[in-house]
């Protein structure tokens, strides 16, 4: 009997990329959605661009909201459920922030009272407009908004403390819930949340706030560079993030959504993308409590558009003219054939609870390397916080029977551990 694990795609419009909101063409959107539905997927994640929808703090454009509803309805007609990201935010190396937060009106995205009022009103408005749509899954606060909160890598960060971020998350999630009660509302960050010591968005927030934990897995973070395109660490990186997130969750059965994962060239060459897709999905499906897998992304970025990083142009499962690639067929096959009933992962690596040393879990760190040594040796590891390593009730609830310190495990030599 098939499991309830969801298979979907992050929707990148084939015409105009996300700038399509400026010249919204429902027929083009419908054709894109037809090509996605033909793969047998069951949901999409969509991205209204914040400055296009709320160009002034007191103006949320009704026409833009109506176009979002048209997209959601068109997806529903094709059997596709929809998650909507609110605060865009950051996409494919570009920042999209409204003018009322920048330059002459420069105000902190996470702490300024007026900005928070505007953000909450915007999220509440979108959620309320979508609330009665049966194919609406829920809101994600925004795409990897943690990249605005620390620098490096961001060149102009809106700095905030972890306590201020926690307040921001609580208020924004509450606004989504007010607009659409009972839906699946969450927040999503890129992997600095799990790996970067000074990132104010913390693993505890990711694993405890919102309806599910979201992880975004990109192997250009040093994993593929260090170990190679077909290595255990590269092909199991998404599974690692899923299991790493569980260390910080209070609920031992909290669902985890692999909300972004893709095959970035040249680290994953186009001719190897299908194999990487197949291996990554298979590894993720071996993780208990997986909510779903949402691939990045649906369609390639048109070469008519300038200034994208080279890897962004070819990340689509489908070409710019909507033809499926081998990676699309691999994901479609997994969606059609998978059975998701993985046994509990009984061996847990100890992870420090202090987020100030979370870099120990990053590529090259002892937790990271120990996890993949165990994986390469045929184990199916998970993780547990050091403060819970002796909590028999917690361990039993997760099915953990063995707790191991990373220093008890030999690391994987760089460039080895080929699958």
């Amino acid at each position: 009997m098939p499991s309830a694990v969801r298979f979907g795609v992050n929707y990148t419009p084939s015409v105009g990329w996300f700038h399509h909101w400026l010249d919204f063409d429902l027929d083009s959107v419908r054709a894109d959605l037809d090509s996605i539905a033909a793969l047998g997927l069951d949901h999409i994640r969509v991205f209204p661009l914040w400055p296009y929808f709320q160009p002034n703090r007191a103006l949320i454009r009704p026409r833009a909201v109506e176009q979002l509803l048209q997209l959601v309805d068109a997806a529903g007609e094709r059997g596709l459920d929809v998650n909507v990201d609110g605060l865009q935010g950051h996409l494919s190396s570009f920042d999209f922030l409204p003018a009322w937060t920048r330059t002459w009106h420069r105000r902190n995205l996470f702490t300024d009272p007026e900005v928070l009022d505007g953000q909450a009103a915007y999220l509440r408005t979108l959620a309320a407009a979508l609330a009665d749509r049966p194919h609406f899954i829920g809101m994600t606060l925004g795409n990897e908004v943690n990249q605005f909160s620390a620098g490096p890598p961001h060149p102009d960060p809106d700095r905030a403390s972890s306590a201020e971020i926690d307040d921001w998350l609580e208020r924004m999630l509450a606004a989504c819930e007010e607009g659409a009660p009972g839906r699946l509302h969450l927040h999503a960050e890129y992997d600095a949340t799990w790996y970067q010591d000074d990132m104010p968005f913390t693993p505890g927030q990711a694993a405890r706030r919102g309806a599910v934990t979201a992880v975004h897995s990109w192997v250009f973070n040093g994993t593929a560079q260090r170990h190679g395109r077909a290595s255990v660490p590269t092909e199991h990186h998404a599974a690692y993030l899923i299991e790493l997130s569980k260390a910080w969750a209070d609920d031992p059965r909290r669902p985890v959504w692999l909300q972004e994962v893709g095959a970035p060239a040249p680290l994953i060459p186009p001719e190897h993308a299908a194999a990487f897709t197949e291996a990554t999905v298979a590894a993720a499906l071996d993780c208990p409590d997986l909510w779903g897998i949402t691939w990045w992304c649906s369609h390639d970025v048109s070469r008519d558009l300038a200034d994208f990083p080279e890897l962004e142009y070819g990340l689509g499962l489908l070409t710019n003219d909507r033809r499926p690639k081998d990676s699309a067929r691999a994901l479609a096959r997994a969606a059609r054939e998978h059975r998701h009933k993985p046994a509990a992962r009984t061996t847990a690596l100890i992870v420090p609870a202090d987020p100030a040393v979370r870099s120990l879990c990053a590529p090259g760190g002892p937790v990271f390397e120990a996890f993949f040594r165990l994986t390469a040796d045929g184990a199916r590891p998970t993780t547990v916080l050091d403060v819970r390593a002796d909590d028999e009730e917690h361990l039993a609830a997760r099915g953990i029977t063995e707790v191991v310190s990373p220093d008890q495990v030999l690391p994987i030599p760089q460039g080895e551990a080929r699958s």
Side-chain angles (χ1 to χ4, degrees), residues 291-311:
W291 184 89
I293 298 171
T294 310
W295 204 260
W296 188 280
C297 54
S298 65
H299 299 80
D300 284 346
V301 177
S302 171
R303 290 283 177 178
D304 293 339
L305 297 175
D307 301 327
F308 284 83
E310 180 60 27
L311 71 90

Side-chain angles (χ1 to χ4, degrees), residues 60-381:
I60 301 167
R61 294 177 50 241
R63 180 60 179 151
V65 175
E66 177 58 32
Q67 289 169 340
L68 174 61
L69 296 178
Q70 291 174 359
L71 189 158
V72 172
D73 289 344
E77 290 166 1
R78 289 152 178 81
L80 295 167
D81 292 339
V82 183
N83 171 259
V84 176
D85 268 47
L87 301 169
Q88 295 341 307
H90 178 82
L91 291 163
S92 301
S93 86
F94 292 97
D95 288 349
F96 294 94
L97 298 174
W100 48 273
T101 68
R102 302 289 92 182
T103 60
W104 300 103
H105 295 265
R106 184 70 162 84
R107 290 178 281 190
N108 191 290
L109 296 173
F110 305 109
T111 62
D112 184 89
E114 291 185 332
V115 172
L116 267 60
D117 287 346
Q119 291 171 333
Y122 173 58
L123 291 168
R124 188 183 306 111
T125 297
L126 290 189
L130 293 158
D132 65 349
R133 263 46 183 193
H135 290 280
F136 172 54
I137 295 171
M139 298 291 298
T140 300
L141 295 187
N143 184 57
E144 301 185 351
V145 291
N146 62 319
Q147 65 93 27
F148 291 110
S149 69
H154 199 278
D156 183 25
D158 289 52
R159 297 192 184 277
S161 68
S162 291
E164 288 169 330
I165 294 298
D166 205 51
D167 291 342
W168 182 84
L169 289 168
E170 182 176 12
R171 181 170 181 188
M172 297 306 135
L173 288 166
C176 295
E177 181 64 20
E178 290 164 12
R183 298 289 185 159
L184 191 96
H185 303 307
L186 65 148
H187 63 104
E189 289 80 48
Y190 84 104
D191 62 19
T193 288
W194 310 102
Y195 295 158
Q196 185 174 319
D197 291 339
D198 63 350
M199 168 59 61
F201 283 78
T202 67
Q205 292 164 348
R208 297 166 194 159
R209 291 223 176 263
V212 300
T213 301
V215 296
H216 290 190
S217 174
W218 290 101
V219 296
F220 53 56
N221 63 358
T223 300
Q225 293 94 325
R226 182 181 181 87
H227 291 291
R229 63 169 175 79
S231 64
V232 168
T234 298
E235 294 184 341
H236 289 251
H237 182 262
Y240 171 63
L241 280 177
I242 293 167
E243 293 303 322
L244 181 63
S245 77
K246 295 175 183 178
W248 280 274
D250 290 333
D251 177 359
R253 302 304 306 272
R254 178 173 167 90
V256 184
W257 182 357
L258 179 54
Q259 194 185 45
E260 273 190 31
V261 61
L267 293 168
I268 309 297
E271 63 272 18
H272 188 71
F276 172 81
T277 302
E278 186 174 10
T280 295
V281 169
L285 288 172
D286 192 40
C287 296
D289 303 308
L290 179 66
W291 184 89
I293 298 171
T294 310
W295 204 260
W296 188 280
C297 54
S298 65
H299 299 80
D300 284 346
V301 177
S302 171
R303 290 283 177 178
D304 293 339
L305 297 175
D307 301 327
F308 284 83
E310 180 60 27
L311 71 90
E312 297 287 349
Y313 287 102
L315 282 173
L317 292 171
L318 301 119
T319 63
N320 194 238
D321 57 358
R322 306 188 181 103
R323 289 180 291 108
K325 304 178 187 176
D326 288 344
S327 53
R329 297 182 184 94
L331 187 67
R333 185 165 55 251
R336 183 174 62 250
E337 298 176 357
H338 82 287
R339 299 293 184 269
H340 185 248
K341 291 185 178 180
R345 290 180 172 234
T346 57
T347 300
L349 276 171
I350 295 175
V351 173
D354 182 0
V357 294
R358 75 192 96 165
S359 58
L360 296 174
C361 302
V367 175
F368 182 99
E369 300 299 328
F371 186 96
F372 291 114
R373 168 54 73 193
L374 290 170
T375 302
D377 289 345
R380 300 171 57 252

